[in-house]
Amino acid sequence: MCGIVGYVGSKNAKEKIISGLKSLEYRGYDSAGIAIPINGSVDVRKCVGGIDNLEKIIDDINYDGAVGIGHTRWATHGAPSVINAHPHINASGDIAVVHNGIIENYTEIKEWLVDSYGIEFKSETDTEVIAHLIGVYYDGDLHEAVNRAVKKMRGAYAIAAIAANEPDKIVAVRKDAPLVAGLGKGFNFVASDIPAVLKYVREIYLIENNETLVITKDDVKIFDKDGKTVKRDVFHVTWDVDAAEKGGYEHFMIKEIHEQPDGIKDTLNKRVDKDGNIMLDDIKLTAEDVAGFNRVYIVACGTAYHAGLIGKYTIEKFAGIPVEVDVASEFRYRDPFVDDKTLFIAISQSGETLDTLAALREAKSKGARILSVVNVVGSSVARESDDVFYTWAGPEISVASTKAYTTQLACMYLLSLYIGKLNGHISDNYYNEIIDALRDIPEKVQEILDRKSVVEKLANTFYKKEKIFFVGRGTDTVASKEGSLKLKEISYINSFAIAAGELKHGTIALIDEETLLFALATQDRLFEKMVSNVEEIKARGARVIAIAKEGNEQIAEKSDEVIFIPQAIDEVMPLLAIVPLQLFAYYVSKNRGCNVDKPKNLAKSVTVE
Ligand code: M6R
């Protein structure tokens, strides 16, 4: 992952780069650095930690210029350290490079550089080979040297390079890692993502794979892999930079949890007319296409994978097509049965998750129809899909995904109903019942948020527990998995989730007096069985918090605590059941003094395999 920012203008490069890097910290934040050509050499400053630390080591007045590159890192090759932080420089120290991605053949290149040029490496990173490669090819033309270096490299990368002898330009390249150019008047940017430049520009070039950029203050030239000039349409960003800031909340996570009613409402209202018809403008599926599908694959990672698991329930139920759901990192290594009768659905908030992108490409190469559910407009997953269903959740900054998840769920409901209508599987009455239930969801999510103090009190009571487990049946199993993921990723508490019926086949051995267990019981048809499961768990001494629909008092008698959530039909409960679990994870993390928005070892956008 990692974030890169480059600026070319007339002055204040330092300020612009720092501002951009701050907006990219969601891509990684274990170390950071900046390089600016000053007085005929490249001055590089690096530190461990986030951009706040970087600011402290560049605050001297002599450190600034018209051009520069910066980086925020999430370690892959080599531990987070000053030496391993980017930018990396060549042997003579006059070329600096920042990089996002992985150079797969870096060992081979390194050996070649050592044997042929006697180069001494300082860091453990793969990136350092890029700086040296450009260095050995450089004879006054940075663009040419970068082109030659790229020909030797395999892997996924976005790179930005500067040279002391050409202090008026940045050369950048993209291959399988995101890159955009921001277009100003008398200045230009290059960056990993749009928020990095939004404070200064709204006109963007979305860069494609294997394209090289030469950026000067008055021009951004794009070249394809054969060196031909590419003409690119300008993409105008309409969303506001304020949308990416905290807006009075203590953390991005709690802000984003509170944005869910609006996010779900936007996703639904803009696609469903007053008569309940679903209009999906970016999806060109016809009844004939749908009749030709014999299976659906849903592939994603982490939270998006959980949205896929709910998608299995909804597509099978509303559209009657068999669905397989896979984590993206597994999918492409197991020879899946994908062909031109397959509908392949990729779900991704960022649209840049490398495993998801690679799975998508694998399915595409086998002839599948590719439909993606994506939040970031113009992201790689979106661009490589036949059809795109945007979640329109707005920028999600907190590493722990919340509003992206519930809007992904909303999309899966609409998509399943849409396909069910196209193939005639769903009856009109049932279709209308689901649409009506979905329309009420934003208000019901708001009700849960209005009563968040109930969840906060429970978190204040139980935050010191070291074992917190989650069980449920049917779609509650999925909500359990997502609740458990939220808790472990931001609180570092040992947690798992399991289908309640499976508990007694082994895992119940872990339950004792020290355990706190969430029992999700929001499915009416499985309610009695969940009540029995709660009795089994209580008999082993665990403390139980149940999540149940209002009015289901029976479970209150059996458990220690209950969080009641509004009544709705079973089918749409996944949109409600997850909300108290998101809140619980948030308040526990806060109580434990963890870094809520930037948990350790994680990054928002995982663009490495
Ligand atoms: O951007 P994506 O939706 O493709 O990201 C997938 C996962 O990395 C992501 O959902 C991750 O699991 C979240 N941190 C969970 O909160």
Side-chain angles (χ1 to χ4, degrees), residues 76-77 106 146 252 277 369 388 435 453 462 524 564:
T76 56
H77 294 63
Y106 85 101
V146 169
F252 281 112
N277 301 308
R369 171 79 170 249
V388 187
I435 290 280
S453 58
F462 291 112
D524 288 343
F564 284 115

Side-chain angles (χ1 to χ4, degrees), residues 301-304 347-351 353 399-401 408 485-486 489 606:
C301 303
T303 288
I347 308 180
S348 176
Q349 187 285 128
S350 61
T353 301
V399 166
S401 183
Q408 283 161 355
L485 177 63
K486 283 294 86 84
E489 80 177 318
V606 186

Side-chain angles (χ1 to χ4, degrees), residues 431-494:
Y431 175 96
N432 290 333
E433 189 187 0
I434 305 291
I435 290 280
D436 288 346
L438 288 173
R439 287 192 206 274
D440 292 341
I441 289 293
E443 209 174 300
K444 291 181 179 179
V445 172
Q446 189 58 53
E447 275 178 52
I448 300 173
L449 296 175
D450 292 343
R451 296 191 305 234
K452 65 180 180 228
S453 58
V454 174
V455 183
E456 187 175 5
K457 273 192 202 127
L458 290 172
N460 295 347
T461 308
F462 291 112
Y463 75 93
K464 287 192 178 143
K465 286 273 180 196
E466 290 302 335
K467 291 202 290 187
I468 304 185
F469 305 146
F470 297 75
V471 299
R473 286 172 174 265
T475 55
D476 278 341
T477 314
V478 182
S480 299
K481 285 180 197 291
E482 176 57 10
S484 172
L485 177 63
K486 283 294 86 84
L487 186 71
K488 64 187 144 203
E489 80 177 318
I490 59 170
S491 315
Y492 324 136
I493 291 175
N494 185 1

Side-chain angles (χ1 to χ4, degrees), residues 49-126:
I51 309 308
D52 291 352
N53 288 359
L54 183 62
E55 279 185 292
K56 290 181 201 143
I57 57 166
I58 60 168
D59 64 357
D60 55 290
I61 194 149
N62 296 325
Y63 190 78
D64 205 353
V67 176
I69 51 176
H71 189 267
T72 179
R73 179 171 188 247
W74 184 80
T76 56
H77 294 63
S81 67
V82 172
I83 292 223
N84 289 333
H86 302 209
H88 288 280
I89 50 171
N90 65 332
S92 47
D94 50 5
I95 286 168
V97 169
V98 288
H99 162 224
N100 167 32
I102 287 180
I103 306 303
E104 284 165 4
N105 60 337
Y106 85 101
T107 317
E108 192 185 295
I109 300 175
K110 188 170 175 175
E111 279 166 13
W112 177 76
L113 287 165
V114 171
D115 295 346
S116 316
Y117 297 91
I119 285 173
E120 281 178 35
F121 278 77
K122 297 191 177 65
S123 75
E124 303 157 278
T125 65
D126 51 342

Side-chain angles (χ1 to χ4, degrees), residues 298-311 325-327 345-350 353 356 373 401 404-405 408-409 412 478 482 485-486:
I298 306 180
V299 175
C301 303
T303 288
Y305 166 74
H306 296 152
L309 291 174
I310 295 296
V325 193
D326 223 337
V327 287
I345 303 177
I347 308 180
S348 176
Q349 187 285 128
S350 61
T353 301
T356 306
V373 176
S401 183
Y405 177 67
Q408 283 161 355
L409 293 188
M412 293 316 292
V478 182
E482 176 57 10
L485 177 63
K486 283 294 86 84

Side-chain angles (χ1 to χ4, degrees), residues 204-222:
I204 301 288
Y205 284 150
L206 299 168
I207 307 306
E208 302 280 353
N209 266 340
N210 301 309
E211 287 180 345
T212 305
L213 304 178
V214 178
I215 303 149
T216 55
K217 76 183 176 52
D218 296 316
D219 201 10
V220 175
K221 284 202 163 64
I222 309 177

